Amino acid sequence: IPALHLLWKPTPRWWWRASYAAGFRAPSVQELFFNFIDVNHFIIGSQTLTAERSNNWRLSGTWGGSDKLPLEISGEFFYNRLTDRITLADVDDGRFSYINLAEYETHGTTLKLDYQASERLSITTGGALTRIFNEVSTEIKGPPRFQNLYEWRNELNYRVPKAGVNLQIDHRYVGRRDRYQLMDDGSVSRGFIGDYHLLHLT
């Protein structure tokens, strides 16, 4: 399983990274043989699964700020392509089993900012756009080939050294994601998973 990672530092405060990696995953014993059936689940293993293979490319850069500006900015572009991806699917009106998807892709970009306001206070914010392959688009014309997923995360840390206390507020936003389902009559039904927020105080 080959991998190649490159690092270039043109200045002490700039870092550039590029990488390529190939992946391989054989189906697990659970995915092959395990049956889970109760009042809420009907999941059956599939012995016809084949191993999935993947290729991953990444390019990222980081700027480490300056003496007067304690700010670090980092960003990344990524691309993943999988063949025979193993995933759980509704194969018979509420009965689930594992299948291989012939092709699957994701690509996108991320951006992150870390600001050290003082010895006690630090702030992190960042977002991501991920474009996810829509398997319904291979069955019928109409649905988009990729679905967009937007995410944003904010984090605030405040330390009280004398009390030995570290307070952290973590907020995450996940945007709306469209869903498409291929119906028995060949038509496509469109729905969505609504956007939502998560907030943690530690």
Side-chain angles (χ1 to χ4, degrees):
I1 304 178
L4 175 66
H5 303 276
L6 303 174
L7 170 63
W8 180 43
K9 297 178 68 175
T11 70
R13 298 189 184 275
W14 271 106
W15 300 271
W16 291 98
R17 290 180 173 87
S19 67
Y20 164 78
F24 171 88
R25 185 173 81 85
S28 67
V29 172
Q30 171 182 315
E31 293 164 336
L32 289 169
F33 302 107
F34 185 63
N35 294 337
F36 180 29
I37 302 172
D38 65 9
V39 68
N40 295 315
H41 305 85
F42 198 108
I43 303 174
I44 300 175
S46 173
Q47 298 179 37
T48 63
L49 293 175
T50 60
E52 67 179 31
R53 297 178 181 272
S54 61
N55 292 282
N56 171 265
W57 290 267
R58 291 181 180 273
L59 175 64
S60 63
T62 301
W63 178 65
S66 64
D67 295 334
K68 295 182 179 180
L69 182 62
L71 173 68
E72 181 177 287
I73 303 174
S74 58
E76 180 183 61
F77 295 95
F78 62 89
Y79 175 76
N80 303 299
R81 182 177 178 86
L82 291 85
T83 55
D84 293 323
R85 178 182 181 235
I86 300 170
T87 187
L88 194 62
D90 187 345
V91 296
D92 184 18
D93 193 21
R95 298 188 178 190
F96 290 81
S97 188
Y98 296 93
I99 64 169
N100 285 109
L101 289 179
E103 59 176 317
Y104 184 80
E105 295 178 43
T106 62
H107 58 263
T109 183
T110 65
L111 178 65
K112 181 181 177 183
L113 290 82
D114 289 296
Y115 179 60
Q116 190 70 40
S118 67
E119 292 183 359
R120 295 187 175 187
L121 179 65
S122 64
I123 301 170
T124 300
T125 185
L129 165 62
T130 305
R131 288 168 51 82
I132 304 169
F133 177 72
N134 181 10
E135 58 267 23
V136 176
S137 67
T138 64
E139 302 289 338
I140 191 171
K141 292 183 178 180
R145 182 172 172 81
F146 291 94
Q147 302 173 47
N148 295 334
L149 177 61
Y150 300 93
E151 298 183 65
W152 197 266
R153 182 170 180 174
N154 303 290
E155 184 180 297
L156 187 147
N157 278 279
Y158 186 77
R159 290 170 289 280
V160 187
K162 292 184 179 180
V165 174
N166 181 49
L167 300 175
Q168 178 177 309
I169 299 175
D170 187 6
H171 166 257
R172 183 185 177 201
Y173 168 75
V174 179
R176 166 176 159 158
R177 180 173 167 186
D178 289 335
R179 300 287 290 173
Y180 297 85
Q181 183 175 0
L182 187 62
M183 310 302 289
D184 292 336
D185 61 0
S187 63
V188 174
S189 174
R190 179 182 179 181
F192 66 90
I193 298 174
D195 61 339
Y196 60 90
H197 295 265
L198 296 173
L199 183 64
H200 296 274
L201 174 62
T202 306

